[in-house]
Amino acid sequence: MYKKLFTPGPTHVRGKILDAQTVPMLHHRSKEYSELQKQVTTKLQKLLYTEQHVYLFASSSTGVMEGSIRQASNKKILNTINGAFSKRWHEITVANGVACDTIEAPWGEPITPEMVDEALASGEYDALTMVFNETSTGLMNPVKEIAALVNEKYPDVLILVDAVSGMAGAKIEFDAWGLDVGLAGVQKCFALPAGLTVCAVSDRSRERALNVSDRGFYFSYEQMDKKYDKHQTRATPAVSLIQAMNAQLDDILVVEGLENHWKRYQEMAEYVQNWARKYFGLYSNEEYLSHTLTNVKNTRGIDVVELNNRLGLRGAAISNGYGPLKGECFRIAHMGDLTLNDAKWITAQIEDILDL
Ligand SMILES: *Cc1c(COP(=O)(O)O)cnc(C)c1O
Protein backbone atom coordinates (compact mmCIF):
# COMPACT_ATOMS: atom_id res chain seq x y z
CA MET A 1 0.00 0.00 0.00
CA TYR A 2 1.24 3.49 -0.83
CA LYS A 3 1.63 5.79 2.12
CA LYS A 4 1.43 9.56 2.18
CA LEU A 5 4.91 10.60 3.22
CA PHE A 6 5.30 12.96 6.17
CA THR A 7 8.99 12.01 6.18
CA PRO A 8 11.75 14.64 5.75
CA GLY A 9 12.74 13.27 2.38
CA PRO A 10 11.54 11.77 0.24
CA THR A 11 8.29 13.67 0.47
CA HIS A 12 4.84 13.14 -0.97
CA VAL A 13 4.75 13.72 -4.75
CA ARG A 14 1.47 14.78 -6.36
CA GLY A 15 0.05 12.78 -9.27
CA LYS A 16 0.24 15.84 -11.52
CA ILE A 17 3.99 16.08 -10.92
CA LEU A 18 4.51 12.34 -11.47
CA ASP A 19 2.62 12.70 -14.75
CA ALA A 20 4.75 15.64 -15.87
CA GLN A 21 7.67 13.17 -16.19
CA THR A 22 5.87 11.09 -18.77
CA VAL A 23 5.98 13.50 -21.70
CA PRO A 24 8.04 12.14 -24.62
CA MET A 25 11.81 12.16 -24.14
CA LEU A 26 13.77 15.12 -25.48
CA HIS A 27 17.27 14.79 -26.85
CA HIS A 28 19.52 16.76 -24.51
CA ARG A 29 21.35 18.48 -27.37
CA SER A 30 18.13 19.67 -29.00
CA LYS A 31 16.73 23.21 -29.04
CA GLU A 32 13.65 21.94 -27.23
CA TYR A 33 15.76 20.67 -24.35
CA SER A 34 17.73 23.94 -24.18
CA GLU A 35 14.44 25.80 -23.91
CA LEU A 36 13.33 23.54 -21.05
CA GLN A 37 16.58 23.99 -19.11
CA LYS A 38 16.53 27.73 -19.73
CA GLN A 39 13.03 28.00 -18.29
CA VAL A 40 13.83 25.85 -15.27
CA THR A 41 17.07 27.70 -14.52
CA THR A 42 15.36 31.10 -14.72
CA LYS A 43 12.65 29.92 -12.33
CA LEU A 44 15.20 28.48 -9.92
CA GLN A 45 17.09 31.78 -9.94
CA LYS A 46 13.86 33.47 -8.91
CA LEU A 47 13.26 30.97 -6.13
CA LEU A 48 16.81 31.44 -4.83
CA TYR A 49 16.95 35.21 -5.37
CA THR A 50 20.10 34.86 -7.46
CA GLU A 51 21.45 35.99 -10.79
CA GLN A 52 24.44 33.65 -10.61
CA HIS A 53 24.77 30.16 -12.08
CA VAL A 54 22.38 27.42 -11.04
CA TYR A 55 23.33 23.90 -12.15
CA LEU A 56 21.22 20.77 -12.44
CA PHE A 57 23.07 17.55 -11.67
CA ALA A 58 21.75 14.04 -12.22
CA SER A 59 22.74 12.91 -8.73
CA SER A 60 21.51 12.84 -5.17
CA SER A 61 22.68 15.69 -2.93
CA THR A 62 25.62 13.79 -1.50
CA GLY A 63 27.29 13.60 -4.91
CA VAL A 64 27.12 17.37 -5.30
CA MET A 65 28.42 17.87 -1.76
CA GLU A 66 31.44 15.81 -2.77
CA GLY A 67 31.84 17.69 -6.03
CA SER A 68 31.73 21.08 -4.32
CA ILE A 69 34.28 20.03 -1.69
CA ARG A 70 36.74 19.08 -4.41
CA GLN A 71 36.74 22.53 -6.03
CA ALA A 72 36.57 24.84 -3.01
CA SER A 73 39.93 25.06 -1.34
CA ASN A 74 43.65 25.52 -1.75
CA LYS A 75 44.24 25.93 1.97
CA LYS A 76 41.99 24.28 4.53
CA ILE A 77 38.24 23.86 4.93
CA LEU A 78 36.46 24.53 8.21
CA ASN A 79 33.67 21.98 8.71
CA THR A 80 31.00 23.13 11.18
CA ILE A 81 29.20 20.20 12.83
CA ASN A 82 25.99 20.07 14.86
CA GLY A 83 24.18 17.05 13.48
CA ALA A 84 24.45 14.07 11.17
CA PHE A 85 24.43 15.93 7.86
CA SER A 86 26.97 18.56 8.85
CA LYS A 87 29.13 15.63 9.97
CA ARG A 88 28.70 14.19 6.47
CA TRP A 89 30.34 17.36 5.04
CA HIS A 90 33.36 16.57 7.21
CA GLU A 91 33.44 12.91 6.23
CA ILE A 92 33.33 13.88 2.56
CA THR A 93 36.13 16.43 3.05
CA VAL A 94 38.34 13.83 4.71
CA ALA A 95 37.47 11.13 2.15
CA ASN A 96 38.62 13.44 -0.64
CA GLY A 97 41.93 14.18 1.03
CA VAL A 98 41.16 17.89 1.43
CA ALA A 99 42.78 19.51 4.48
CA CYS A 100 40.21 20.45 7.13
CA ASP A 101 39.38 21.09 10.77
CA THR A 102 36.08 21.01 12.62
CA ILE A 103 34.16 23.06 15.13
CA GLU A 104 31.22 21.45 16.86
CA ALA A 105 28.08 22.42 18.72
CA PRO A 106 25.95 19.83 20.54
CA TRP A 107 23.07 18.31 18.56
CA GLY A 108 20.06 20.60 18.86
CA GLU A 109 22.19 23.70 19.34
CA PRO A 110 23.12 26.10 16.51
CA ILE A 111 26.47 26.98 15.00
CA THR A 112 26.86 30.67 15.86
CA PRO A 113 28.69 33.55 14.14
CA GLU A 114 30.89 33.86 17.25
CA MET A 115 32.06 30.25 16.99
CA VAL A 116 32.85 30.68 13.31
CA ASP A 117 34.63 33.98 13.92
CA GLU A 118 36.87 32.46 16.56
CA ALA A 119 37.87 29.58 14.27
CA LEU A 120 38.43 31.64 11.11
CA ALA A 121 40.57 34.18 12.98
CA SER A 122 43.56 31.83 12.63
CA GLY A 123 43.64 32.64 8.92
CA GLU A 124 44.16 28.99 7.96
CA TYR A 125 40.92 28.55 6.02
CA ASP A 126 39.61 29.50 2.61
CA ALA A 127 36.25 27.69 2.76
CA LEU A 128 33.64 26.70 5.31
CA THR A 129 30.84 24.11 5.25
CA MET A 130 27.45 24.45 6.92
CA VAL A 131 24.06 22.81 6.91
CA PHE A 132 21.13 25.21 6.63
CA ASN A 133 18.45 22.90 7.97
CA GLU A 134 19.75 19.98 10.05
CA THR A 135 17.32 17.20 9.16
CA SER A 136 18.69 15.01 11.94
CA THR A 137 17.80 17.45 14.73
CA GLY A 138 15.08 19.74 13.30
CA LEU A 139 17.20 22.88 13.63
CA MET A 140 17.95 25.78 11.29
CA ASN A 141 21.40 27.27 11.59
CA PRO A 142 21.66 31.08 11.35
CA VAL A 143 23.23 30.92 7.90
CA LYS A 144 22.40 34.50 6.99
CA GLU A 145 24.11 35.87 10.12
CA ILE A 146 27.13 33.60 9.74
CA ALA A 147 27.51 34.54 6.08
CA ALA A 148 27.32 38.25 6.95
CA LEU A 149 30.15 37.83 9.44
CA VAL A 150 32.30 35.77 7.08
CA ASN A 151 31.80 38.11 4.14
CA GLU A 152 32.71 41.13 6.24
CA LYS A 153 35.73 39.79 8.09
CA TYR A 154 37.01 36.91 5.94
CA PRO A 155 36.32 37.77 2.31
CA ASP A 156 38.50 34.92 0.99
CA VAL A 157 36.47 32.23 2.72
CA LEU A 158 33.90 30.50 0.51
CA ILE A 159 30.60 29.56 2.17
CA LEU A 160 29.32 26.12 1.17
CA VAL A 161 25.78 25.39 2.32
CA ASP A 162 23.97 22.06 2.32
CA ALA A 163 20.44 23.40 1.94
CA VAL A 164 18.99 19.99 1.10
CA SER A 165 15.97 19.98 3.41
CA GLY A 166 15.57 23.78 3.44
CA MET A 167 15.77 25.00 -0.14
CA ALA A 168 12.30 25.78 -1.55
CA GLY A 169 10.91 25.49 1.98
CA ALA A 170 12.51 28.49 3.62
CA LYS A 171 13.64 31.68 1.96
CA ILE A 172 17.31 31.62 0.97
CA GLU A 173 18.47 34.87 -0.60
CA PHE A 174 21.56 33.43 -2.22
CA ASP A 175 23.04 36.67 -3.59
CA ALA A 176 22.03 39.03 -0.79
CA TRP A 177 23.32 36.66 1.87
CA GLY A 178 26.57 36.25 -0.07
CA LEU A 179 26.61 32.44 -0.27
CA ASP A 180 28.99 30.58 -2.56
CA VAL A 181 27.46 27.13 -2.94
CA GLY A 182 23.86 26.24 -2.09
CA LEU A 183 22.70 22.74 -3.01
CA ALA A 184 19.60 20.61 -2.56
CA GLY A 185 18.28 17.30 -3.85
CA VAL A 186 14.74 17.57 -5.12
CA GLN A 187 13.12 14.80 -3.04
CA LYS A 188 12.68 17.14 -0.07
CA CYS A 189 11.01 20.56 -0.26
CA PHE A 190 10.74 20.49 -4.05
CA ALA A 191 8.50 17.42 -3.66
CA LEU A 192 9.81 15.69 -6.78
CA PRO A 193 10.92 12.10 -7.27
CA ALA A 194 14.57 11.62 -6.20
CA GLY A 195 17.56 11.80 -8.52
CA LEU A 196 18.22 15.45 -9.33
CA THR A 197 20.17 18.09 -7.39
CA VAL A 198 20.00 21.86 -7.77
CA CYS A 199 23.24 23.74 -7.06
CA ALA A 200 23.64 27.52 -7.03
CA VAL A 201 27.26 28.61 -7.37
CA SER A 202 28.69 32.12 -6.99
CA ASP A 203 30.90 33.65 -9.66
CA ARG A 204 33.78 33.78 -7.22
CA SER A 205 33.38 30.06 -6.47
CA ARG A 206 33.63 29.31 -10.15
CA GLU A 207 36.81 31.38 -10.34
CA ARG A 208 38.28 29.67 -7.30
CA ALA A 209 37.50 26.26 -8.80
CA LEU A 210 39.65 27.01 -11.83
CA ASN A 211 42.68 27.27 -9.54
CA VAL A 212 42.07 24.08 -7.58
CA SER A 213 43.88 21.06 -8.98
CA ASP A 214 42.35 17.56 -8.95
CA ARG A 215 38.90 19.10 -8.82
CA GLY A 216 37.18 16.16 -10.45
CA PHE A 217 35.16 16.10 -13.64
CA TYR A 218 31.49 15.14 -13.33
CA PHE A 219 30.57 17.90 -10.87
CA SER A 220 33.13 20.40 -12.13
CA TYR A 221 31.68 23.90 -12.63
CA GLU A 222 34.26 24.44 -15.37
CA GLN A 223 32.90 21.42 -17.26
CA MET A 224 29.29 22.48 -16.69
CA ASP A 225 30.11 25.98 -17.93
CA LYS A 226 31.16 24.58 -21.30
CA LYS A 227 27.45 24.09 -21.99
CA TYR A 228 25.86 26.53 -19.54
CA ASP A 229 25.21 29.39 -21.94
CA LYS A 230 23.60 26.92 -24.35
CA HIS A 231 21.31 25.83 -21.48
CA GLN A 232 22.63 22.32 -21.52
CA THR A 233 24.56 20.11 -19.11
CA ARG A 234 28.00 18.57 -19.71
CA ALA A 235 26.75 14.96 -19.31
CA THR A 236 23.27 13.59 -20.00
CA PRO A 237 20.76 15.28 -17.69
CA ALA A 238 17.79 13.72 -15.85
CA VAL A 239 15.40 15.06 -18.49
CA SER A 240 12.20 13.57 -17.05
CA LEU A 241 12.88 14.97 -13.61
CA ILE A 242 13.62 18.37 -15.12
CA GLN A 243 10.20 18.22 -16.83
CA ALA A 244 8.64 17.54 -13.43
CA MET A 245 10.67 20.39 -11.91
CA ASN A 246 9.37 22.78 -14.55
CA ALA A 247 5.77 21.94 -13.67
CA GLN A 248 6.45 22.18 -9.95
CA LEU A 249 8.17 25.58 -10.24
CA ASP A 250 5.18 26.95 -12.15
CA ASP A 251 2.94 25.84 -9.32
CA ILE A 252 5.22 27.41 -6.70
CA LEU A 253 5.95 30.68 -8.51
CA VAL A 254 2.76 31.30 -10.47
CA VAL A 255 -0.16 29.30 -9.06
CA GLU A 256 0.73 29.62 -5.37
CA GLY A 257 3.07 32.62 -5.52
CA LEU A 258 6.36 32.81 -3.62
CA GLU A 259 5.13 34.84 -0.67
CA ASN A 260 2.16 32.49 -0.14
CA HIS A 261 4.52 29.58 -0.50
CA TRP A 262 6.76 30.79 2.36
CA LYS A 263 3.67 31.58 4.39
CA ARG A 264 2.26 28.06 3.98
CA TYR A 265 5.51 26.62 5.32
CA GLN A 266 5.52 29.03 8.23
CA GLU A 267 1.94 28.14 9.16
CA MET A 268 2.54 24.40 8.99
CA ALA A 269 5.70 24.73 11.09
CA GLU A 270 3.99 26.82 13.77
CA TYR A 271 1.08 24.43 13.90
CA VAL A 272 3.19 21.26 14.28
CA GLN A 273 5.56 22.92 16.75
CA ASN A 274 2.62 23.99 18.93
CA TRP A 275 1.16 20.51 18.73
CA ALA A 276 4.49 19.02 19.80
CA ARG A 277 4.74 21.46 22.73
CA LYS A 278 1.24 20.50 23.86
CA TYR A 279 1.61 16.70 23.77
CA PHE A 280 5.35 16.02 23.78
CA GLY A 281 8.36 18.33 23.61
CA LEU A 282 10.75 19.80 21.08
CA TYR A 283 14.27 18.47 20.70
CA SER A 284 16.12 21.49 19.38
CA ASN A 285 16.79 24.95 20.78
CA GLU A 286 13.48 26.86 20.55
CA GLU A 287 15.10 29.88 18.88
CA TYR A 288 16.35 27.87 15.92
CA LEU A 289 13.51 25.50 15.08
CA SER A 290 13.27 24.22 11.52
CA HIS A 291 10.54 25.56 9.25
CA THR A 292 10.36 22.32 7.27
CA LEU A 293 10.28 19.51 9.82
CA THR A 294 9.66 19.08 13.53
CA ASN A 295 11.81 16.77 15.63
CA VAL A 296 9.42 15.81 18.43
CA LYS A 297 10.99 14.77 21.71
CA ASN A 298 9.41 11.53 22.85
CA THR A 299 8.68 12.67 26.41
CA ARG A 300 5.92 10.06 26.80
CA GLY A 301 8.18 7.15 25.96
CA ILE A 302 5.86 5.88 23.22
CA ASP A 303 6.91 3.09 20.86
CA VAL A 304 7.74 5.07 17.71
CA VAL A 305 7.98 2.01 15.45
CA GLU A 306 4.55 0.82 16.60
CA LEU A 307 3.09 4.30 16.05
CA ASN A 308 4.48 4.37 12.53
CA ASN A 309 3.12 0.87 11.81
CA ARG A 310 -0.32 1.99 12.87
CA LEU A 311 -0.06 5.20 10.84
CA GLY A 312 0.89 2.96 7.91
CA LEU A 313 -2.45 1.17 8.20
CA ARG A 314 -4.07 4.59 7.81
CA GLY A 315 -1.94 5.36 4.74
CA ALA A 316 0.73 7.64 6.18
CA ALA A 317 4.35 7.52 7.35
CA ILE A 318 6.41 9.73 9.66
CA SER A 319 10.11 9.24 10.53
CA ASN A 320 11.78 7.85 13.59
CA GLY A 321 14.49 9.92 15.29
CA TYR A 322 17.72 10.04 13.27
CA GLY A 323 20.60 7.75 14.24
CA PRO A 324 21.23 8.02 17.98
CA LEU A 325 17.83 9.72 18.42
CA LYS A 326 15.89 6.61 17.30
CA GLY A 327 13.11 6.06 19.78
CA GLU A 328 14.07 9.25 21.65
CA CYS A 329 12.41 11.42 19.03
CA PHE A 330 10.17 11.19 16.00
CA ARG A 331 10.09 13.53 13.04
CA ILE A 332 7.12 14.99 11.23
CA ALA A 333 7.95 16.72 7.96
CA HIS A 334 5.85 19.66 6.85
CA MET A 335 7.54 20.18 3.55
CA GLY A 336 6.88 19.92 -0.14
CA ASP A 337 3.25 19.96 -1.19
CA LEU A 338 1.79 19.15 2.22
CA THR A 339 -0.71 21.68 3.53
CA LEU A 340 -1.89 22.90 6.90
CA ASN A 341 -4.83 20.48 6.53
CA ASP A 342 -2.42 17.60 6.01
CA ALA A 343 -0.52 18.65 9.13
CA LYS A 344 -3.78 18.75 11.09
CA TRP A 345 -4.75 15.36 9.70
CA ILE A 346 -1.50 13.61 10.67
CA THR A 347 -1.47 15.03 14.20
CA ALA A 348 -5.14 14.02 14.65
CA GLN A 349 -4.23 10.46 13.60
CA ILE A 350 -1.39 10.41 16.14
CA GLU A 351 -3.69 11.70 18.90
CA ASP A 352 -6.26 9.07 18.01
CA ILE A 353 -3.78 6.17 17.87
CA LEU A 354 -2.11 7.16 21.16
CA ASP A 355 -5.36 8.15 22.83
CA LEU A 356 -3.96 11.57 23.76
C1 LIG B 1 18.61 14.25 2.86
C2 LIG B 1 19.77 15.08 3.21
C3 LIG B 1 21.03 14.88 2.63
C4 LIG B 1 21.36 13.70 1.74
O1 LIG B 1 20.70 13.74 0.57
P1 LIG B 1 20.84 12.59 -0.53
O2 LIG B 1 19.89 13.10 -1.55
O3 LIG B 1 20.43 11.32 0.13
O4 LIG B 1 22.22 12.53 -1.01
C5 LIG B 1 22.05 15.76 2.92
N1 LIG B 1 21.84 16.80 3.76
C6 LIG B 1 20.66 17.02 4.34
C7 LIG B 1 20.50 18.19 5.25
C8 LIG B 1 19.58 16.17 4.09
O5 LIG B 1 18.38 16.41 4.67
Side-chain angles (χ1 to χ4, degrees):
M1 186 171 106
Y2 292 106
K3 295 173 193 161
K4 189 155 190 169
L5 299 178
F6 291 80
T7 53
T11 52
H12 172 68
V13 182
R14 291 177 296 149
K16 173 187 172 183
I17 299 301
L18 291 172
D19 289 348
Q21 298 175 96
T22 64
V23 296
M25 186 54 55
L26 293 177
H27 193 287
H28 60 282
R29 299 294 175 223
S30 67
K31 269 198 194 118
E32 290 78 10
Y33 174 78
S34 289
E35 184 52 35
L36 171 67
Q37 182 172 316
K38 183 177 171 189
Q39 285 181 22
V40 167
T41 306
T42 307
K43 291 169 197 173
L44 285 170
Q45 285 172 321
K46 227 177 244 173
L47 183 82
L48 295 172
Y49 304 88
T50 184
E51 290 176 1
Q52 303 184 85
H53 284 196
V54 178
Y55 302 116
L56 296 167
F57 288 107
S59 166
S60 94
S61 324
T62 305
V64 184
M65 290 168 81
E66 177 155 292
S68 66
I69 282 294
R70 297 192 59 165
Q71 31 193 343
S73 172
N74 279 312
K75 288 164 78 178
K76 248 182 174 184
I77 295 183
L78 180 69
N79 300 129
T80 67
I81 303 180
N82 62 338
F85 291 102
S86 40
K87 186 160 178 237
R88 181 175 298 188
W89 265 132
H90 177 56
E91 290 167 347
I92 290 170
T93 312
V94 171
N96 281 281
V98 178
C100 60
D101 292 314
T102 60
I103 52 170
E104 288 198 47
W107 281 38
E109 292 298 328
I111 301 295
T112 63
E114 293 72 30
M115 289 170 64
V116 171
D117 191 10
E118 200 187 318
L120 293 182
S122 73
E124 292 170 86
Y125 308 101
D126 59 356
L128 133 98
T129 62
M130 269 193 283
V131 166
F132 176 41
N133 188 69
E134 247 306 345
T135 320
S136 58
T137 61
L139 172 141
M140 269 183 173
N141 280 308
V143 166
K144 181 182 174 182
E145 287 73 17
I146 293 170
L149 172 275
V150 174
N151 284 317
E152 193 198 320
K153 288 184 74 175
Y154 309 99
D156 294 335
V157 175
L158 297 183
I159 304 165
L160 278 52
V161 181
D162 163 349
V164 179
S165 59
M167 185 189 290
K171 206 179 213 176
I172 298 172
E173 295 179 74
F174 188 83
D175 289 357
W177 294 8
L179 305 183
D180 293 292
V181 173
L183 65 97
V186 299
Q187 77 276 25
K188 308 230 170 157
C189 300
F190 284 101
L192 299 176
L196 178 70
T197 292
V198 172
C199 185
V201 176
S202 69
D203 296 343
R204 66 182 198 136
S205 268
R206 296 191 295 115
E207 270 162 46
R208 166 78 59 83
L210 296 177
N211 297 315
V212 179
S213 53
D214 298 335
R215 56 186 172 273
F217 189 94
Y218 184 73
F219 297 105
S220 153
Y221 315 137
E222 181 199 16
Q223 293 299 330
M224 290 297 269
D225 283 344
K226 292 187 174 173
K227 297 284 180 189
Y228 191 85
D229 290 335
K230 275 181 125 173
H231 311 292
Q232 295 182 0
T233 51
R234 183 69 171 82
T236 311
V239 179
S240 306
L241 287 168
I242 295 172
Q243 296 277 16
M245 170 73 91
N246 201 24
Q248 182 67 301
L249 288 171
D250 281 341
D251 280 357
I252 294 174
L253 295 170
V254 182
V255 179
E256 186 174 31
L258 256 192
E259 291 311 317
N260 290 334
H261 181 79
W262 306 132
K263 208 169 120 217
R264 173 166 61 84
Y265 267 89
Q266 194 66 44
E267 285 171 356
M268 287 195 290
E270 279 168 18
Y271 170 79
V272 178
Q273 288 162 9
N274 281 330
W275 179 86
R277 279 186 200 101
K278 181 169 171 196
Y279 292 106
F280 289 92
L282 288 159
Y283 177 80
S284 285
N285 185 321
E286 280 272 354
E287 284 176 47
Y288 298 90
L289 294 177
S290 165
H291 297 185
T292 64
L293 79 138
T294 296
N295 194 22
V296 183
K297 199 167 169 185
N298 183 9
T299 50
R300 292 171 181 260
I302 61 152
D303 182 337
V304 175
V305 173
E306 170 68 12
L307 170 63
N308 222 357
N309 287 340
R310 294 187 59 187
L311 284 170
L313 298 173
R314 299 177 183 209
I318 58 170
S319 282
N320 207 327
Y322 192 96
L325 300 181
K326 258 194 190 80
E328 307 291 314
C329 292
F330 58 91
R331 293 172 298 157
I332 304 174
H334 22 87
M335 58 172 74
D337 287 323
L338 296 173
T339 63
L340 186 57
N341 278 339
D342 291 317
K344 288 180 177 170
W345 180 83
I346 190 77
T347 53
Q349 301 312 305
I350 297 172
E351 285 172 39
D352 188 45
I353 289 168
L354 298 176
D355 213 3
L356 298 178

